[in-house]
Coordinates of all heavy atoms in Angstrom, one line a residue:
M1 N -206.3 -38.2 -58.6 CA -205.1 -37.4 -58.3 C -205.4 -36.6 -57.0 O -206.5 -36.1 -56.8 CB -204.9 -36.4 -59.5 CG -203.7 -35.5 -59.3 SD -203.4 -34.4 -60.7 CE -202.5 -35.5 -61.7
R2 N -204.4 -36.4 -56.2 CA -204.4 -35.6 -55.0 C -204.8 -34.2 -55.3 O -204.4 -33.6 -56.3 CB -203.1 -35.7 -54.3 CG -202.8 -37.0 -53.6 CD -201.3 -36.9 -53.1 NE -201.2 -35.8 -52.2 CZ -201.1 -35.9 -50.8 NH1 -201.3 -37.1 -50.3 NH2 -201.0 -34.8 -50.1
L3 N -205.5 -33.5 -54.4 CA -205.9 -32.1 -54.6 C -204.7 -31.2 -54.7 O -204.6 -30.4 -55.7 CB -206.8 -31.7 -53.4 CG -207.2 -30.2 -53.4 CD1 -208.0 -29.9 -54.7 CD2 -208.0 -29.9 -52.2
D4 N -203.7 -31.3 -53.9 CA -202.5 -30.5 -53.9 C -201.8 -30.6 -55.3 O -201.4 -29.6 -55.9 CB -201.6 -30.6 -52.8 CG -201.1 -32.0 -52.6 OD1 -201.6 -33.0 -53.2 OD2 -200.1 -32.2 -51.8
K5 N -201.7 -31.8 -55.8 CA -201.0 -32.1 -57.0 C -201.8 -31.5 -58.2 O -201.3 -30.9 -59.1 CB -200.8 -33.6 -57.2 CG -200.2 -34.0 -58.5 CD -198.7 -33.6 -58.5 CE -198.0 -34.2 -59.8 NZ -196.7 -33.7 -59.9
Y6 N -203.2 -31.7 -58.1 CA -204.0 -31.1 -59.2 C -203.9 -29.6 -59.3 O -203.8 -29.0 -60.3 CB -205.5 -31.5 -59.0 CG -206.4 -31.0 -60.1 CD1 -206.5 -31.7 -61.3 CD2 -207.1 -29.8 -59.9 CE1 -207.3 -31.2 -62.3 CE2 -207.9 -29.3 -61.0 CZ -208.0 -30.0 -62.1 OH -208.7 -29.5 -63.2
L7 N -203.9 -28.9 -58.1 CA -203.8 -27.5 -58.1 C -202.5 -27.0 -58.7 O -202.4 -26.0 -59.4 CB -203.9 -26.9 -56.6 CG -205.3 -27.1 -56.0 CD1 -205.2 -26.7 -54.5 CD2 -206.3 -26.3 -56.7
Q8 N -201.4 -27.8 -58.5 CA -200.1 -27.4 -59.1 C -200.1 -27.7 -60.6 O -199.6 -26.9 -61.4 CB -199.0 -28.2 -58.3 CG -197.6 -27.9 -58.8 CD -197.0 -29.0 -59.6 OE1 -197.2 -30.2 -59.3 NE2 -196.2 -28.7 -60.6
V9 N -200.5 -28.9 -61.0 CA -200.5 -29.3 -62.4 C -201.4 -28.4 -63.2 O -201.0 -28.0 -64.4 CB -201.0 -30.8 -62.6 CG1 -201.2 -31.1 -64.0 CG2 -200.0 -31.7 -62.0
S10 N -202.5 -28.0 -62.7 CA -203.4 -27.1 -63.4 C -203.0 -25.6 -63.4 O -203.6 -24.8 -64.0 CB -204.9 -27.2 -62.9 OG -204.9 -26.7 -61.5
R11 N -202.0 -25.3 -62.6 CA -201.4 -24.0 -62.5 C -202.4 -23.0 -61.8 O -202.2 -21.8 -61.9 CB -201.0 -23.4 -63.8 CG -200.2 -24.2 -64.8 CD -198.8 -24.4 -64.2 NE -197.8 -24.8 -65.2 CZ -197.6 -26.0 -65.7 NH1 -198.4 -26.9 -65.5 NH2 -196.6 -26.2 -66.6
L12 N -203.3 -23.6 -61.0 CA -204.1 -22.7 -60.2 C -203.3 -22.1 -59.0 O -203.5 -21.0 -58.6 CB -205.3 -23.5 -59.6 CG -206.4 -23.8 -60.7 CD1 -207.4 -24.8 -60.1 CD2 -207.1 -22.5 -61.1
I13 N -202.3 -23.0 -58.5 CA -201.3 -22.5 -57.6 C -200.0 -23.0 -58.1 O -199.9 -24.1 -58.6 CB -201.6 -23.1 -56.2 CG1 -202.9 -22.6 -55.6 CG2 -200.5 -22.8 -55.2 CD1 -203.3 -23.1 -54.2
K14 N -199.0 -22.1 -58.0 CA -197.7 -22.4 -58.7 C -196.9 -23.6 -58.1 O -196.3 -24.4 -58.8 CB -196.8 -21.2 -58.7 CG -197.3 -20.1 -59.6 CD -196.3 -19.0 -59.7 CE -196.9 -17.9 -60.6 NZ -196.0 -16.8 -60.8
R15 N -196.9 -23.7 -56.8 CA -196.1 -24.8 -56.1 C -197.0 -25.7 -55.3 O -198.0 -25.3 -54.7 CB -195.0 -24.1 -55.2 CG -194.0 -23.3 -56.0 CD -192.8 -22.8 -55.2 NE -193.2 -22.2 -53.9 CZ -193.5 -21.0 -53.8 NH1 -193.5 -20.1 -54.8 NH2 -193.8 -20.5 -52.6
R16 N -196.6 -27.0 -55.3 CA -197.4 -27.9 -54.5 C -197.3 -27.7 -53.0 O -198.3 -27.9 -52.3 CB -196.8 -29.3 -54.8 CG -197.7 -30.4 -54.3 CD -197.3 -31.8 -54.9 NE -198.0 -32.8 -54.2 CZ -197.8 -34.1 -54.5 NH1 -196.9 -34.5 -55.4 NH2 -198.5 -35.1 -53.9
T17 N -196.2 -27.2 -52.5 CA -196.1 -26.9 -51.1 C -197.1 -25.7 -50.7 O -197.7 -25.8 -49.7 CB -194.7 -26.5 -50.7 OG1 -194.2 -25.4 -51.5 CG2 -193.8 -27.7 -50.8
S18 N -197.2 -24.8 -51.6 CA -198.2 -23.7 -51.4 C -199.6 -24.2 -51.4 O -200.5 -23.8 -50.7 CB -198.0 -22.6 -52.5 OG -196.8 -22.0 -52.4
A19 N -199.9 -25.2 -52.3 CA -201.2 -25.8 -52.4 C -201.5 -26.6 -51.1 O -202.6 -26.5 -50.6 CB -201.3 -26.8 -53.6
K20 N -200.5 -27.3 -50.5 CA -200.7 -28.0 -49.3 C -201.0 -27.0 -48.1 O -201.9 -27.2 -47.3 CB -199.4 -28.8 -48.9 CG -199.3 -30.0 -49.6 CD -198.0 -30.8 -49.1 CE -197.8 -32.0 -49.9 NZ -196.6 -32.8 -49.5
E21 N -200.3 -25.9 -48.1 CA -200.5 -24.8 -47.1 C -201.9 -24.3 -47.2 O -202.6 -24.0 -46.2 CB -199.4 -23.7 -47.2 CG -198.1 -24.2 -46.8 CD -197.0 -23.2 -47.2 OE1 -197.3 -22.1 -47.6 OE2 -195.8 -23.5 -47.0
A22 N -202.4 -24.0 -48.4 CA -203.7 -23.5 -48.6 C -204.8 -24.5 -48.1 O -205.7 -24.1 -47.5 CB -203.9 -23.2 -50.1
C23 N -204.5 -25.8 -48.3 CA -205.5 -26.8 -47.8 C -205.5 -26.8 -46.3 O -206.5 -26.9 -45.7 CB -205.1 -28.1 -48.4 SG -205.4 -28.3 -50.2
L24 N -204.3 -26.8 -45.7 CA -204.2 -26.8 -44.3 C -204.9 -25.6 -43.6 O -205.4 -25.7 -42.5 CB -202.7 -26.8 -43.8 CG -202.0 -28.2 -43.9 CD1 -200.5 -28.0 -43.7 CD2 -202.6 -29.2 -43.0
A25 N -204.8 -24.5 -44.3 CA -205.4 -23.2 -43.8 C -207.0 -23.2 -44.0 O -207.6 -22.3 -43.7 CB -204.8 -22.0 -44.4
G26 N -207.5 -24.2 -44.7 CA -208.9 -24.3 -45.0 C -209.4 -23.4 -46.1 O -210.5 -23.0 -46.2
R27 N -208.5 -23.0 -47.0 CA -208.8 -22.1 -48.1 C -209.3 -22.8 -49.4 O -209.5 -22.1 -50.4 CB -207.6 -21.2 -48.4 CG -207.2 -20.4 -47.3 CD -205.8 -19.7 -47.6 NE -205.7 -18.5 -46.7 CZ -205.9 -17.3 -47.0 NH1 -206.2 -17.0 -48.2 NH2 -205.7 -16.3 -46.2
V28 N -209.3 -24.1 -49.4 CA -209.7 -24.9 -50.6 C -210.9 -25.8 -50.2 O -210.9 -26.5 -49.2 CB -208.5 -25.8 -51.1 CG1 -208.9 -26.5 -52.4 CG2 -207.3 -25.0 -51.3
Q29 N -211.9 -25.7 -51.1 CA -213.1 -26.6 -50.9 C -213.4 -27.4 -52.2 O -213.1 -26.9 -53.3 CB -214.3 -25.7 -50.6 CG -214.3 -24.9 -49.4 CD -215.5 -24.0 -49.2 OE1 -216.5 -24.0 -50.0 NE2 -215.5 -23.2 -48.2
I30 N -213.8 -28.6 -52.0 CA -214.3 -29.4 -53.1 C -215.8 -29.6 -52.9 O -216.2 -30.1 -51.8 CB -213.6 -30.8 -53.2 CG1 -212.1 -30.6 -53.4 CG2 -214.2 -31.6 -54.2 CD1 -211.3 -31.9 -53.5
N31 N -216.6 -29.2 -53.8 CA -218.1 -29.4 -53.8 C -218.6 -28.8 -52.5 O -219.5 -29.4 -51.8 CB -218.5 -30.8 -53.9 CG -218.0 -31.4 -55.3 OD1 -218.0 -30.7 -56.3 ND2 -217.6 -32.6 -55.3
G32 N -218.1 -27.6 -52.1 CA -218.6 -26.9 -50.9 C -218.1 -27.4 -49.5 O -218.5 -26.9 -48.5
K33 N -217.2 -28.4 -49.5 CA -216.7 -28.9 -48.2 C -215.2 -28.6 -48.2 O -214.5 -28.9 -49.2 CB -216.9 -30.4 -48.1 CG -218.4 -30.7 -48.0 CD -218.6 -32.2 -47.8 CE -220.1 -32.5 -47.8 NZ -220.4 -33.9 -47.8
I34 N -214.7 -28.2 -47.0 CA -213.2 -27.9 -46.9 C -212.5 -29.2 -47.1 O -212.9 -30.3 -46.6 CB -212.9 -27.3 -45.5 CG1 -213.6 -25.9 -45.4 CG2 -211.4 -27.3 -45.3 CD1 -213.4 -25.3 -44.0
A35 N -211.5 -29.1 -48.0 CA -210.8 -30.3 -48.4 C -209.3 -30.4 -47.9 O -208.7 -29.3 -47.7 CB -210.8 -30.4 -49.9
K36 N -208.8 -31.6 -47.7 CA -207.4 -31.8 -47.3 C -206.6 -31.9 -48.5 O -207.1 -32.2 -49.6 CB -207.3 -33.0 -46.4 CG -208.0 -32.9 -45.1 CD -207.8 -34.2 -44.3 CE -208.5 -34.1 -42.9 NZ -208.4 -35.3 -42.1
A37 N -205.3 -31.8 -48.4 CA -204.4 -31.8 -49.5 C -204.4 -33.2 -50.2 O -204.3 -33.3 -51.4 CB -202.9 -31.6 -49.1
G38 N -204.7 -34.3 -49.5 CA -204.7 -35.6 -50.0 C -206.1 -36.0 -50.6 O -206.2 -37.1 -51.0
S39 N -207.1 -35.1 -50.6 CA -208.4 -35.5 -51.1 C -208.3 -35.8 -52.6 O -207.5 -35.2 -53.3 CB -209.4 -34.3 -50.9 OG -209.5 -34.0 -49.6
E40 N -209.1 -36.7 -53.0 CA -209.1 -37.2 -54.4 C -209.9 -36.2 -55.3 O -211.0 -35.9 -54.9 CB -209.6 -38.6 -54.5 CG -209.2 -39.4 -55.7 CD -207.8 -39.6 -55.9 OE1 -207.0 -39.7 -54.9 OE2 -207.3 -39.8 -57.0
V41 N -209.4 -35.8 -56.4 CA -210.1 -34.9 -57.3 C -210.6 -35.8 -58.5 O -209.9 -36.6 -59.0 CB -209.1 -33.8 -57.9 CG1 -209.8 -33.0 -58.9 CG2 -208.7 -32.9 -56.7
K42 N -211.9 -35.6 -58.8 CA -212.5 -36.3 -59.9 C -213.1 -35.3 -60.9 O -213.4 -34.2 -60.5 CB -213.6 -37.2 -59.3 CG -213.2 -38.3 -58.3 CD -214.3 -39.1 -57.8 CE -215.3 -38.4 -57.0 NZ -214.9 -37.7 -55.7
E43 N -213.3 -35.8 -62.1 CA -214.0 -35.0 -63.1 C -215.4 -34.6 -62.6 O -216.1 -35.4 -62.1 CB -214.0 -35.7 -64.5 CG -212.7 -35.9 -65.1 CD -212.8 -36.7 -66.4 OE1 -213.9 -36.9 -66.9 OE2 -211.7 -37.1 -66.9
G44 N -215.7 -33.3 -62.8 CA -217.1 -32.9 -62.4 C -217.0 -32.2 -61.0 O -218.0 -31.5 -60.7
D45 N -216.0 -32.3 -60.3 CA -215.8 -31.7 -59.0 C -215.8 -30.2 -59.2 O -215.2 -29.7 -60.1 CB -214.6 -32.1 -58.2 CG -214.8 -33.5 -57.6 OD1 -215.9 -34.0 -57.5 OD2 -213.7 -34.1 -57.2
E46 N -216.3 -29.4 -58.2 CA -216.1 -28.0 -58.2 C -215.2 -27.6 -57.1 O -215.4 -28.0 -55.9 CB -217.5 -27.3 -57.9 CG -218.4 -27.3 -59.2 CD -219.6 -26.4 -59.0 OE1 -219.7 -25.7 -58.0 OE2 -220.5 -26.6 -59.9
I47 N -214.1 -26.9 -57.4 CA -213.1 -26.5 -56.5 C -213.2 -25.0 -56.3 O -213.2 -24.2 -57.2 CB -211.7 -26.8 -57.0 CG1 -211.5 -28.3 -57.2 CG2 -210.6 -26.3 -56.0 CD1 -210.2 -28.8 -57.8
T48 N -213.3 -24.6 -55.0 CA -213.3 -23.2 -54.7 C -212.0 -22.9 -53.9 O -211.7 -23.5 -52.9 CB -214.5 -22.8 -53.8 OG1 -215.7 -23.2 -54.4 CG2 -214.6 -21.3 -53.5
L49 N -211.3 -21.9 -54.4 CA -210.0 -21.6 -53.9 C -209.9 -20.1 -53.5 O -210.2 -19.2 -54.3 CB -208.9 -21.9 -55.0 CG -207.5 -21.4 -54.7 CD1 -206.9 -22.2 -53.6 CD2 -206.7 -21.7 -56.0
T50 N -209.6 -19.8 -52.2 CA -209.3 -18.5 -51.8 C -207.8 -18.3 -51.6 O -207.3 -18.9 -50.7 CB -210.1 -18.2 -50.4 OG1 -211.4 -18.6 -50.6 CG2 -210.0 -16.8 -50.0
W51 N -207.2 -17.5 -52.4 CA -205.8 -17.4 -52.4 C -205.4 -15.9 -52.6 O -205.8 -15.3 -53.5 CB -205.2 -18.2 -53.6 CG -203.8 -18.4 -53.7 CD1 -202.9 -17.9 -54.6 CD2 -202.9 -19.0 -52.7 NE1 -201.6 -18.2 -54.3 CE2 -201.6 -18.9 -53.2 CE3 -203.2 -19.7 -51.5 CZ2 -200.5 -19.5 -52.5 CZ3 -202.1 -20.3 -50.9 CH2 -200.8 -20.2 -51.3
G52 N -204.8 -15.4 -51.5 CA -204.5 -14.0 -51.5 C -205.8 -13.2 -51.4 O -206.6 -13.5 -50.5
N53 N -206.0 -12.3 -52.3 CA -207.3 -11.5 -52.2 C -208.2 -12.0 -53.4 O -209.1 -11.2 -53.8 CB -207.0 -10.0 -52.3 CG -206.4 -9.6 -53.6 OD1 -205.9 -10.4 -54.3 ND2 -206.4 -8.3 -53.8
R54 N -208.0 -13.2 -53.9 CA -208.8 -13.7 -55.0 C -209.7 -14.9 -54.6 O -209.2 -15.7 -53.8 CB -207.9 -14.1 -56.2 CG -206.9 -13.2 -56.6 CD -207.3 -12.2 -57.7 NE -208.1 -12.7 -58.7 CZ -209.0 -11.9 -59.4 NH1 -209.1 -10.7 -59.1 NH2 -209.6 -12.4 -60.4
L55 N -210.9 -15.0 -55.1 CA -211.7 -16.1 -54.9 C -211.9 -16.7 -56.3 O -212.3 -16.0 -57.2 CB -213.1 -15.8 -54.3 CG -214.0 -17.0 -54.2 CD1 -213.9 -17.6 -52.8 CD2 -215.4 -16.6 -54.5
T56 N -211.5 -18.0 -56.5 CA -211.6 -18.6 -57.8 C -212.4 -19.9 -57.6 O -212.2 -20.7 -56.7 CB -210.2 -19.0 -58.3 OG1 -209.4 -17.8 -58.3 CG2 -210.2 -19.5 -59.7
K57 N -213.4 -20.1 -58.5 CA -214.2 -21.2 -58.5 C -214.1 -21.9 -59.9 O -214.3 -21.2 -60.9 CB -215.7 -20.9 -58.2 CG -216.6 -22.0 -57.9 CD -217.9 -21.5 -57.4 CE -218.8 -22.7 -57.0 NZ -220.1 -22.2 -56.4
V58 N -213.7 -23.2 -59.9 CA -213.6 -23.9 -61.2 C -214.3 -25.2 -61.1 O -214.5 -25.8 -60.0 CB -212.1 -24.1 -61.5 CG1 -211.3 -22.8 -61.7 CG2 -211.4 -25.0 -60.5
K59 N -214.6 -25.7 -62.3 CA -215.1 -27.1 -62.4 C -214.1 -27.9 -63.1 O -213.5 -27.6 -64.1 CB -216.4 -27.1 -63.3 CG -217.1 -28.4 -63.4 CD -218.4 -28.3 -64.0 CE -219.1 -29.7 -64.0 NZ -220.4 -29.6 -64.6
V60 N -213.8 -29.1 -62.5 CA -212.7 -30.0 -63.0 C -213.3 -30.7 -64.3 O -214.3 -31.3 -64.3 CB -212.3 -31.1 -62.0 CG1 -211.3 -32.0 -62.6 CG2 -211.8 -30.4 -60.7
V61 N -212.6 -30.4 -65.4 CA -213.0 -31.0 -66.7 C -212.2 -32.3 -67.0 O -212.8 -33.3 -67.5 CB -212.8 -30.0 -67.9 CG1 -213.1 -30.6 -69.2 CG2 -213.6 -28.8 -67.6
Q62 N -210.9 -32.3 -66.6 CA -210.1 -33.4 -66.9 C -209.1 -33.6 -65.7 O -208.6 -32.6 -65.2 CB -209.4 -33.2 -68.2 CG -208.5 -34.3 -68.6 CD -207.7 -34.0 -69.9 OE1 -207.9 -32.9 -70.5 NE2 -206.9 -34.9 -70.4
V63 N -208.8 -34.8 -65.4 CA -207.8 -35.1 -64.4 C -206.6 -35.8 -65.1 O -206.8 -37.0 -65.6 CB -208.3 -36.0 -63.2 CG1 -207.2 -36.3 -62.2 CG2 -209.5 -35.3 -62.5
P64 N -205.5 -35.2 -65.3 CA -204.4 -35.8 -66.1 C -203.7 -36.9 -65.3 O -203.8 -36.9 -64.0 CB -203.4 -34.6 -66.3 CG -203.7 -33.7 -65.1 CD -205.1 -33.9 -64.8
L65 N -203.0 -37.8 -66.0 CA -202.3 -38.8 -65.3 C -200.9 -38.3 -64.8 O -200.4 -38.9 -63.8 CB -202.0 -40.0 -66.3 CG -203.3 -40.7 -66.8 CD1 -202.9 -41.7 -67.9 CD2 -204.1 -41.3 -65.7
R66 N -200.4 -37.3 -65.4 CA -199.1 -36.7 -65.0 C -199.1 -35.2 -65.3 O -200.1 -34.7 -65.8 CB -198.0 -37.5 -65.6 CG -198.0 -37.4 -67.2 CD -196.9 -38.2 -67.8 NE -197.0 -39.6 -67.8 CZ -197.8 -40.3 -68.6 NH1 -198.5 -39.7 -69.5 NH2 -197.9 -41.6 -68.5
N67 N -198.0 -34.6 -65.1 CA -197.8 -33.2 -65.4 C -198.2 -32.9 -66.9 O -197.9 -33.8 -67.8 CB -196.4 -32.7 -65.1 CG -196.2 -32.6 -63.7 OD1 -197.1 -32.7 -62.9 ND2 -194.9 -32.4 -63.3
V68 N -198.7 -31.7 -67.2 CA -199.0 -31.3 -68.6 C -198.3 -30.0 -68.9 O -197.9 -29.3 -68.0 CB -200.5 -31.2 -68.8 CG1 -201.2 -32.5 -68.6 CG2 -201.1 -30.1 -67.9
P69 N -198.0 -29.7 -70.2 CA -197.4 -28.4 -70.5 C -198.3 -27.3 -70.1 O -199.5 -27.4 -70.0 CB -197.3 -28.5 -72.1 CG -197.4 -30.0 -72.4 CD -198.3 -30.6 -71.3
A70 N -197.6 -26.1 -69.8 CA -198.3 -25.0 -69.3 C -199.5 -24.5 -70.3 O -200.5 -24.1 -69.8 CB -197.4 -23.8 -69.2
A71 N -199.3 -24.7 -71.6 CA -200.3 -24.3 -72.5 C -201.6 -25.2 -72.4 O -202.7 -24.7 -72.7 CB -199.8 -24.5 -74.0
Q72 N -201.4 -26.4 -71.9 CA -202.6 -27.3 -71.7 C -203.2 -27.2 -70.4 O -204.3 -27.7 -70.2 CB -202.1 -28.8 -71.9 CG -202.2 -29.3 -73.2 CD -202.0 -30.8 -73.2 OE1 -201.1 -31.3 -72.4 NE2 -202.6 -31.5 -74.1
A73 N -202.6 -26.5 -69.4 CA -203.1 -26.5 -68.0 C -204.5 -25.9 -67.9 O -205.3 -26.4 -67.2 CB -202.1 -25.7 -67.2
K74 N -204.8 -24.9 -68.7 CA -206.1 -24.3 -68.6 C -207.3 -25.1 -69.2 O -208.4 -24.9 -69.0 CB -206.1 -22.9 -69.3 CG -205.4 -21.9 -68.5 CD -205.6 -20.5 -69.0 CE -204.7 -19.5 -68.2 NZ -205.5 -18.5 -67.5
T75 N -206.9 -26.2 -69.9 CA -207.9 -27.1 -70.4 C -208.4 -28.1 -69.4 O -209.3 -28.8 -69.6 CB -207.4 -27.8 -71.7 OG1 -206.3 -28.7 -71.3 CG2 -206.9 -26.9 -72.8
L76 N -207.7 -28.1 -68.3 CA -208.0 -29.1 -67.2 C -209.3 -28.7 -66.4 O -209.8 -29.5 -65.7 CB -206.9 -29.3 -66.3 CG -205.6 -29.8 -66.9 CD1 -204.5 -29.9 -65.9 CD2 -205.8 -31.2 -67.6
Y77 N -209.6 -27.4 -66.5 CA -210.8 -26.9 -65.7 C -211.5 -25.8 -66.5 O -211.0 -25.3 -67.4 CB -210.3 -26.3 -64.4 CG -209.3 -25.2 -64.5 CD1 -209.8 -23.9 -64.6 CD2 -207.9 -25.4 -64.5 CE1 -208.9 -22.8 -64.8 CE2 -207.1 -24.3 -64.6 CZ -207.5 -23.0 -64.8 OH -206.7 -22.0 -64.9
Q78 N -212.8 -25.6 -66.0 CA -213.6 -24.6 -66.6 C -213.8 -23.5 -65.5 O -214.2 -23.8 -64.4 CB -215.0 -25.1 -67.0 CG -216.0 -24.1 -67.4 CD -217.3 -24.7 -67.7 OE1 -217.5 -25.9 -67.5 NE2 -218.3 -23.9 -68.0
L79 N -213.4 -22.3 -65.8 CA -213.6 -21.2 -64.8 C -215.0 -20.8 -64.6 O -215.7 -20.5 -65.6 CB -212.8 -20.0 -65.3 CG -212.7 -18.8 -64.3 CD1 -212.0 -19.2 -63.0 CD2 -212.0 -17.6 -65.0
L80 N -215.5 -20.9 -63.4 CA -216.9 -20.6 -63.1 C -217.1 -19.2 -62.6 O -218.0 -18.5 -62.9 CB -217.5 -21.6 -62.1 CG -217.5 -23.1 -62.5 CD1 -218.0 -24.0 -61.4 CD2 -218.4 -23.3 -63.8
E81 N -216.1 -18.8 -61.7 CA -216.2 -17.5 -61.0 C -214.8 -17.1 -60.6 O -214.0 -17.9 -60.1 CB -217.1 -17.6 -59.8 CG -217.3 -16.3 -59.1 CD -218.2 -16.5 -57.8 OE1 -218.7 -17.6 -57.6 OE2 -218.4 -15.5 -57.2
E82 N -214.5 -15.8 -60.7 CA -213.2 -15.3 -60.2 C -213.5 -13.8 -59.8 O -214.0 -13.1 -60.6 CB -212.1 -15.4 -61.3 CG -210.8 -15.0 -60.8 CD -209.7 -15.3 -61.7 OE1 -209.8 -15.0 -62.9 OE2 -208.7 -15.8 -61.3
K83 N -213.2 -13.5 -58.6 CA -213.4 -12.2 -58.1 C -212.4 -11.8 -57.0 O -211.8 -12.6 -56.4 CB -214.8 -12.0 -57.6 CG -215.2 -12.8 -56.4 CD -216.6 -12.6 -56.0 CE -217.0 -13.5 -54.7 NZ -218.3 -13.3 -54.3
T84 N -212.2 -10.5 -56.9 CA -211.4 -9.9 -55.8 C -212.2 -9.8 -54.6 O -213.3 -9.3 -54.6 CB -210.8 -8.6 -56.3 OG1 -210.1 -8.8 -57.5 CG2 -209.8 -8.0 -55.3
I85 N -211.6 -10.2 -53.5 CA -212.3 -10.1 -52.2 C -211.6 -9.2 -51.2 O -210.4 -9.0 -51.4 CB -212.5 -11.5 -51.5 CG1 -211.2 -12.2 -51.4 CG2 -213.5 -12.3 -52.3 CD1 -211.3 -13.5 -50.6
G86 N -212.3 -8.7 -50.2 CA -211.6 -7.9 -49.2 C -211.5 -6.4 -49.5 O -211.2 -5.6 -48.6
A87 N -211.6 -6.0 -50.7 CA -211.4 -4.6 -51.1 C -212.8 -3.9 -51.3 O -212.9 -3.0 -52.1 CB -210.5 -4.5 -52.3
E88 N -213.8 -4.4 -50.7 CA -215.1 -3.9 -50.9 C -215.4 -2.8 -49.8 O -215.6 -3.1 -48.7 CB -216.2 -5.0 -50.8 CG -216.0 -6.1 -51.8 CD -216.8 -7.3 -51.5 OE1 -217.8 -7.2 -50.7 OE2 -216.5 -8.4 -52.1
E89 N -215.5 -1.6 -50.3 CA -215.8 -0.5 -49.4 C -216.7 0.5 -50.0 O -216.7 0.7 -51.2 CB -214.5 0.2 -48.9 CG -213.7 -0.8 -48.1 CD -212.8 -0.1 -47.1 OE1 -213.0 1.0 -46.7 OE2 -211.8 -0.8 -46.7

C-alpha cells in the first residue's frame, strides 16, 4: 500500500492530500529514510511522522487491503514514541 494511503487509512493523518503534503515536505520517514508519498509500506516498517508540533513513531503491524473502520485503525500500527516538539525551553 502507498504511504500516503496508509497514513490516511490508519488515521495517523486525516486526509490523503495532507499525507501527500507531509511527504513532499520531508516530514515522513520509513525506517529512518525520508519517504515519498508513493513509497510502499510493508509490515515491520517503522514510520516517523512530524506533524504540527508532534513527533510520532509507529511500527506497522498490518497493511490492510482497503479502508478499515475507525475502531480498527489503531490495530494497524504499534505506537513506539509520541512527543511534543518545539516547546522545549
Side-chain angles (χ1 to χ4, degrees):
M1 177 177 280
R2 290 173 54 103
L3 176 58
D4 56 347
K5 180 71 173 169
Y6 182 82
L7 292 172
Q8 183 252 322
V9 168
S10 64
R11 310 294 200 282
L12 288 167
I13 295 181
K14 290 185 181 182
R15 294 187 314 272
R16 190 167 173 184
T17 54
S18 298
K20 283 183 183 181
E21 290 170 6
C23 292
L24 283 172
R27 296 172 164 257
V28 184
Q29 298 178 3
I30 296 179
N31 300 323
K33 296 181 181 175
I34 294 176
K36 295 182 180 180
S39 299
E40 200 65 26
V41 175
K42 300 178 294 299
E43 292 178 12
D45 283 346
E46 286 188 9
I47 298 174
T48 305
L49 170 66
T50 307
W51 189 244
N53 63 346
R54 309 272 318 150
L55 176 94
T56 306
K57 191 172 186 177
V58 298
K59 183 173 184 174
V60 177
V61 175
Q62 181 182 359
V63 179
L65 298 175
R66 60 183 73 80
N67 287 349
V68 296
Q72 268 189 326
K74 289 191 182 243
T75 66
L76 300 178
Y77 61 87
Q78 174 188 0
L79 186 63
L80 300 176
E81 180 182 0
E82 187 171 44
K83 63 182 178 181
T84 303
I85 54 175
E88 300 168 17
E89 297 204 22

